[in-house]
Amino acid sequence: MFLLSLVIFIALLTVVFYYQVPLLLSSVVLVAGSFILTFVSAWMWLLFLPTLALTVFLNVPALRRPILIQPVYKLLQKAMPPMSVTEREAMEAGTTWWEKDLFSGRPDWKKFVDIELPQLSEKEQSFLDNEVNELCTRINEWQIFEDQDLSPEAWEYLKAEGFFGLIIPEEYGGRDFSPYAQSRVMSKIASRSITAAVTAMVPNSLGPGELLMKYGTDEQKQRWLPGLADGTEIPCFGLTGPEAGSDAGSIPDIGVVCKGQFEGQEVVGLRLNFSKRWITLAPIATVVGLAFKLKDPEHLLGDSNKSDYGITCALLPADHPGIEIGQRHNPGSPFMNGPIKGVDVFIPLDWIIGGPAMAGKGWRMLIECLGAGRGVSLPALSTASGEMSYLTVGAYARIRRQFNMEVGKFEGVQEATAEVAANGYTLEAMRQLVTRGLDSGAPSVMTAMAKYHATELMRTSVNHAMDVVSGRAIQLGPRNFTAFAYRALPVAITVEGANILTRSLMIFGQGAMRCHPYLFDEVQTLQAEDEDAALETFDGLFMKHIGHVLSNITRLKLFSFTGSRFSPTPVNADDFSRRWYQHINHMSAAFAVAADVALGVLGGDLKRRELLSARLGDVHSQLFIACSILKFHGAHPRTDDEDAHAQFALEQSLYKAQEALLDFYRNFPLRPAAWVFKLATFTFGRKYKAPSDDAVRRLGGLIMEDNSVRQQLASYVYVSNDPTDSVGRVETTYQMLLALGDSWHNFSRAQAKGELTGETLESRLHDAVARGIINESDVTPLMEYDARRYDCLLTDNFDKL
């Protein structure tokens, strides 16, 4: 009877913790339950009395605070490093969205069901179908590479049709497009020319336009936004420099408040000294956004207690005296990029973006704008590269034959092409969920995930493309459909926060503060000046935090033992997605527990343990990616082909999350805790497996077919039908092959077996007709295809380099 009573009590405890019942109510339930169980077994008094004592202690602040809360508070105060102003602003900047649910360990699937993927408005769709298509017909990446610039006609078209004003409101002459529409526009351009896409996306990403819209004065908006919208003003933004790259907060550029001459009058202004590099569009810019550190040694701004204001943003005409636009950098892709310098440049105070009231608030401005840019620009470019890799590599793998067989049928090749196929699908799914999130604000953690993982998926796909296309992909020339994406990779990986930094510091470091339900508020109390009031606030937060941890540990143990089969899923989950949602429940709880274990054991030192925080960030990111795949998969009618793509992508994502978590526990310094929580997470061993060989063969075969996913991805990019350019040559040859049906395959197989006679292709084709292998009507189309096939495989050569 005692064992039965104990089991009942443990079940009661599990229910209380699982549902995170408030402290007072859970105490009443546990005390009452243990008391009732004393009538079942007298031995339960041994459990009832400690339960009663513990619940009284926890529910009486006068007992709890001096014995538990105050020592913990003091311990954390000593362990937590001070938070700088820039760190605080970075943590407070932006918003949170679905990634916060995943961090909590208990995703709210009702909320997820209500998320609808973005749709283009009628005007946005029209712009894609008309202006963007027309631009794509006017640009050629090889010619841009040869000239090291867009053609004058392309520049004029970009300006005249408002490509630089996609984010600017219509009242200022802009197009006021949604984040999803901006992404779709940039992807379609990038599928034709990455150089043109970079040129168009910079004014619509981090730059004067976005800063002006969010923070500019009415006068500044009227002065600059119409010109930025119609292209008469070309913007750039000077942030990074020789001493500050990813650590943009360390910029050494200085603006000193002083009096000086402006337009013949003495005014209070700023004297700027700066040196910037890697500034896109700088060589042709007419207006320069500038970030610098503002100092006011004479207190001319009116605050006698403040002389160091911190990072500030201003807007200057590029031809303003003292500004020097340097010669171009060569980033490997021929978009305009170069340095900007300024020595003793004097500007009036009202050139600060937002006016003098925004002095010293530039870092937060930049963090929020960078967050939005990270979610649109580079993920759009990466998505285009992933989708074009899918289309071109799949087609080429079908056209190219070696050892009398299509190269795409070799399993070694399929190992690469299957991943290209899954990555193309994943990139589109992630783009759609991320841009939907941007409609709700600027979720800084989500956009950091998007930038890092989208560009890494691009890197993987383009590298695989180079492997599959091989020598044909190495030689530069107008036939090469892979090289320019390969050359642009370092740019995508490096800019808007280098990927190493983004993964190691930002995703989990910022995610822990922004997404954890209690951590940021707790840290705030640790640095408060009024310690008594802070301690009272900390008391409530800490008790909720403990309940949160116990709830997630309980959920994790149940999910591990039951395979999470009884965990909640969205009401609209079908037989394909239901188990995947339950797997996400399991890994979300595991991640939440691991995050709290890391924070509890390592405290502020976790910021320096980048290998550990990076792995936790990987888990968080892969859970978000898995959700995006499920949302995208469920947004349209199912097909077997799409199921295969989604299954492969989900297996990759959950496997990566699992391996990152195992690596985290393998390297966690407190070994007993690591062992216990690893066992709690994977009680019966590794749960998730990488895609099987069968899945590789399936997807490696599908990428060569005109399947429903290929058709869907092709609708998001520009696919040329011009048989003389790099993509059009492969695509039109592939379409010819598809139109032949089985005739080319049957002829090639018979020819490889030596069954056909004849010295020429035509004679062998007629012999194949005589043997009943092909029809007479197939001869001419097969000869035409063979000529196109051979031309498609040729590599460019030049008289001289």
Side-chain angles (χ1 to χ4, degrees):
M1 296 303 293
F2 172 68
L3 289 176
L4 176 62
S5 301
L6 188 61
V7 169
I8 293 172
F9 182 79
I10 291 173
L12 188 62
L13 195 66
T14 299
V15 170
V16 166
F17 286 163
Y18 183 94
Y19 290 104
Q20 205 169 341
V21 178
L23 176 60
L24 181 59
L25 179 58
S26 62
S27 299
V28 171
V29 170
L30 292 175
V31 169
S34 60
F35 178 71
I36 292 170
L37 289 171
T38 61
F39 293 99
V40 179
S41 170
W43 287 100
M44 286 301 293
W45 283 98
L46 297 175
L47 193 61
F48 167 70
L49 294 175
T51 300
L52 178 63
L54 180 61
T55 54
V56 169
F57 169 74
L58 292 177
N59 281 277
V60 178
L63 295 174
R64 180 179 71 223
R65 284 181 188 166
I67 298 174
L68 174 64
I69 301 301
Q70 195 164 10
V72 171
Y73 183 83
K74 294 293 186 183
L75 180 65
L76 291 176
Q77 267 189 326
K78 294 178 181 178
M80 191 65 63
M83 187 182 296
S84 68
V85 173
T86 54
E87 283 181 308
R88 185 185 301 275
E89 288 180 345
M91 294 301 177
E92 293 174 346
T95 58
T96 56
W97 194 54
W98 179 247
E99 73 283 4
K100 185 167 185 175
D101 274 76
L102 295 171
F103 201 106
S104 72
R106 46 193 314 142
D108 183 350
W109 296 120
K110 293 180 181 178
K111 181 193 297 184
F112 191 71
V113 168
D114 292 337
I115 296 173
E116 294 184 0
L117 293 181
Q119 300 291 325
L120 296 173
S121 68
E122 186 177 339
K123 67 176 183 179
E124 291 168 344
Q125 186 66 62
S126 175
F127 188 76
L128 269 171
D129 294 341
N130 295 287
E131 286 86 349
V132 178
N133 262 4
E134 177 62 24
L135 174 66
C136 289
T137 66
R138 295 181 179 217
I139 51 181
N140 180 292
E141 189 75 327
W142 173 252
Q143 192 60 52
I144 293 171
F145 175 75
E146 288 276 87
D147 297 340
Q148 290 295 293
D149 194 5
L150 301 177
S151 69
E153 294 76 18
W155 272 111
E156 185 56 37
Y157 191 80
L158 283 167
K159 296 176 183 179
E161 298 302 330
F163 281 85
F164 295 152
L166 300 183
I167 64 173
I168 294 175
E170 291 181 341
E171 63 186 287
Y172 298 106
R175 293 193 174 272
D176 199 17
F177 280 0
S178 67
Y180 178 58
Q182 296 167 44
S183 177
R184 287 284 303 275
V185 169
M186 297 310 160
S187 275
K188 197 161 192 176
I189 300 172
S191 68
R192 183 66 169 162
S193 165
I194 289 178
T195 304
V198 171
T199 300
M201 74 189 188
V202 167
N204 293 291
S205 181
L206 173 64
E210 188 172 9
L211 290 167
L212 283 171
M213 287 191 307
K214 289 187 176 182
Y215 309 107
T217 65
D218 289 340
E219 182 181 354
Q220 289 171 340
K221 292 176 182 178
Q222 294 292 343
R223 163 66 180 86
W224 292 110
L225 288 180
L228 292 171
D230 65 19
T232 56
E233 300 286 0
I234 301 295
C236 70
F237 193 87
L239 177 59
T240 51
E243 300 288 350
S246 294
D247 180 16
S250 68
I251 56 176
D253 312 288
I254 300 296
V256 179
V257 182
C258 61
K259 293 181 179 180
Q261 292 292 317
F262 181 74
E263 295 182 348
Q265 295 183 349
E266 185 179 70
V267 298
V268 175
L270 306 175
R271 191 162 300 282
L272 300 166
N273 287 277
F274 55 89
S275 177
K276 305 290 187 179
R277 64 175 176 179
W278 307 319
I279 311 304
T280 301
L281 297 187
I284 57 163
T286 63
V287 55
V288 177
L290 195 69
F292 54 90
K293 289 182 177 175
L294 179 63
K295 298 183 180 297
D296 183 16
E298 300 179 44
H299 307 294
L300 296 176
L301 293 180
D303 189 340
S304 59
N305 297 316
K306 191 173 184 180
S307 58
D308 191 347
Y309 278 73
I311 295 176
T312 302
C313 298
L315 203 57
L316 296 69
D319 59 1
H320 189 66
I323 295 178
E324 177 187 343
I325 305 292
Q327 294 178 313
R328 290 175 65 177
H329 297 314
N330 185 358
S333 187
F335 59 87
M336 290 291 176
N337 190 267
I340 304 172
K341 296 180 180 179
V343 177
D344 290 336
V345 179
F346 183 81
I347 65 171
L349 279 178
D350 58 9
W351 285 11
I352 294 175
I353 297 176
M358 297 301 290
K361 298 179 181 179
W363 183 237
R364 181 164 188 150
M365 294 160 61
L366 291 171
I367 289 293
E368 292 184 348
C369 289
L370 270 171
R374 284 194 189 102
V376 175
S377 299
L378 289 171
L381 187 152
S382 302
T383 301
S385 293
E387 291 170 345
M388 291 305 292
S389 293
Y390 187 113
L391 300 175
T392 55
V393 173
Y396 189 83
R398 179 81 177 268
I399 295 166
R400 175 71 164 162
R401 298 175 68 88
Q402 293 284 272
F403 305 102
N404 298 315
M405 186 168 70
E406 295 95 331
V407 297
K409 290 186 177 179
F410 289 94
E411 290 189 2
V413 173
Q414 288 178 336
E415 187 175 23
T417 57
E419 194 166 6
V420 170
N423 288 355
Y425 187 84
T426 300
L427 282 161
E428 185 57 48
M430 186 163 53
R431 181 249 291 277
Q432 297 211 12
L433 190 61
V434 168
T435 52
R436 172 61 186 85
L438 286 168
D439 283 333
S440 305
S444 54
V445 177
M446 179 194 74
T447 55
M449 292 176 179
K451 189 273 173 182
Y452 172 74
H453 288 281
T455 54
E456 289 297 333
L457 287 173
M458 174 188 175
R459 180 181 352 218
T460 300
S461 291
V462 173
N463 281 338
H464 282 328
M466 292 292 291
D467 285 348
V468 173
V469 184
S470 195
R472 171 74 162 73
I474 294 170
Q475 307 296 334
L476 282 176
R479 293 171 176 267
N480 194 325
F481 53 83
T482 302
F484 291 111
Y486 187 80
R487 291 172 70 92
L489 267 175
V491 177
I493 297 297
T494 302
V495 300
E496 291 193 15
N499 275 11
I500 290 175
L501 169 89
T502 304
R503 175 176 179 258
S504 300
L505 294 176
M506 291 184 60
I507 295 176
F508 182 76
Q510 197 168 11
M513 285 292 184
R514 298 293 289 134
C515 297
H516 194 287
Y518 306 109
L519 183 61
F520 184 70
D521 291 335
E522 288 172 330
V523 171
Q524 295 281 71
T525 65
L526 296 176
Q527 298 185 354
E529 294 182 2
D530 186 346
E531 189 168 303
D532 291 336
L535 189 61
E536 183 176 350
T537 303
F538 179 82
D539 182 8
L541 291 169
F542 184 73
M543 294 306 297
K544 290 179 180 178
H545 193 156
I546 294 298
H548 168 77
V549 172
L550 292 174
S551 175
N552 278 326
I553 291 175
T554 303
R555 289 162 59 82
L556 176 60
K557 289 170 65 178
L558 283 174
F559 293 163
S560 297
F561 275 103
T562 64
S564 61
R565 289 187 179 277
F566 307 106
S567 64
T569 61
V571 293
N572 61 349
D574 57 19
D575 58 348
F576 175 88
S577 62
R578 186 170 294 109
R579 284 296 290 147
W580 289 110
Y581 283 117
Q582 291 175 336
H583 293 327
I584 292 172
N585 285 335
H586 170 233
M587 287 302 293
S588 177
F591 166 67
V593 170
D596 271 310
V597 169
L599 292 164
V601 172
L602 298 175
D605 192 48
L606 183 58
K607 184 167 68 172
R608 292 178 286 275
R609 304 296 291 267
E610 295 177 18
L611 294 172
L612 293 177
S613 64
R615 290 170 184 134
L616 290 175
D618 288 345
V619 181
H620 195 190
S621 299
Q622 292 301 333
L623 292 177
F624 185 88
I625 291 170
C627 287
S628 72
I629 295 167
L630 288 167
K631 177 63 75 171
F632 184 63
H633 176 268
H636 34 266
R638 283 180 60 184
T639 64
D640 289 342
D641 294 345
E642 183 161 4
D643 282 0
H645 284 77
Q647 178 84 14
F648 195 103
L650 286 162
E651 286 175 350
Q652 275 190 322
S653 187
L654 268 294
Y655 178 75
K656 289 176 181 177
Q658 170 187 264
E659 295 306 296
L661 193 57
L662 286 170
D663 284 344
F664 168 80
Y665 281 128
R666 188 178 298 115
N667 292 279
F668 196 67
L670 189 61
R671 300 310 303 148
W675 185 87
V676 167
F677 286 108
K678 176 186 172 183
L679 183 64
T681 304
F682 302 108
T683 306
F684 304 107
R686 277 179 165 82
K687 184 176 180 62
Y688 308 107
K689 295 179 174 60
S692 67
D693 288 354
D694 285 341
V696 168
R697 285 187 286 267
R698 168 93 165 113
L699 214 54
L702 274 176
I703 195 175
M704 296 190 295
E705 304 293 336
D706 192 26
N707 68 79
S708 60
V709 173
R710 185 184 204 276
Q711 295 167 7
Q712 186 177 32
L713 298 185
S715 70
Y716 298 121
V717 294
Y718 182 85
V719 182
S720 171
N721 289 313
D722 180 356
T724 65
D725 73 15
S726 60
V727 172
R729 178 175 281 105
V730 175
E731 180 64 20
T732 55
T733 305
Y734 174 70
Q735 293 300 330
M736 286 181 70
L737 176 58
L738 293 178
L740 291 173
D742 292 331
S743 58
W744 177 255
H745 173 74
N746 293 338
F747 170 75
S748 299
R749 182 173 58 184
Q751 184 174 241
K753 289 181 178 181
E755 297 174 356
L756 303 178
T757 60
E759 295 297 322
T760 66
L761 173 65
E762 185 174 7
S763 62
R764 290 192 297 275
L765 285 168
H766 284 295
D767 188 42
V769 172
R771 296 172 185 272
I773 297 171
I774 60 173
N775 298 320
E776 181 67 37
S777 60
D778 292 327
V779 172
T780 299
L782 286 173
M783 289 186 66
E784 291 174 349
Y785 170 72
D786 187 65
R788 290 289 299 279
R789 176 194 65 82
Y790 184 75
D791 178 71
C792 186
L793 301 178
L794 293 177
T795 302
D796 295 293
N797 54 82
F798 306 93
D799 291 336
K800 60 181 181 179
L801 293 178

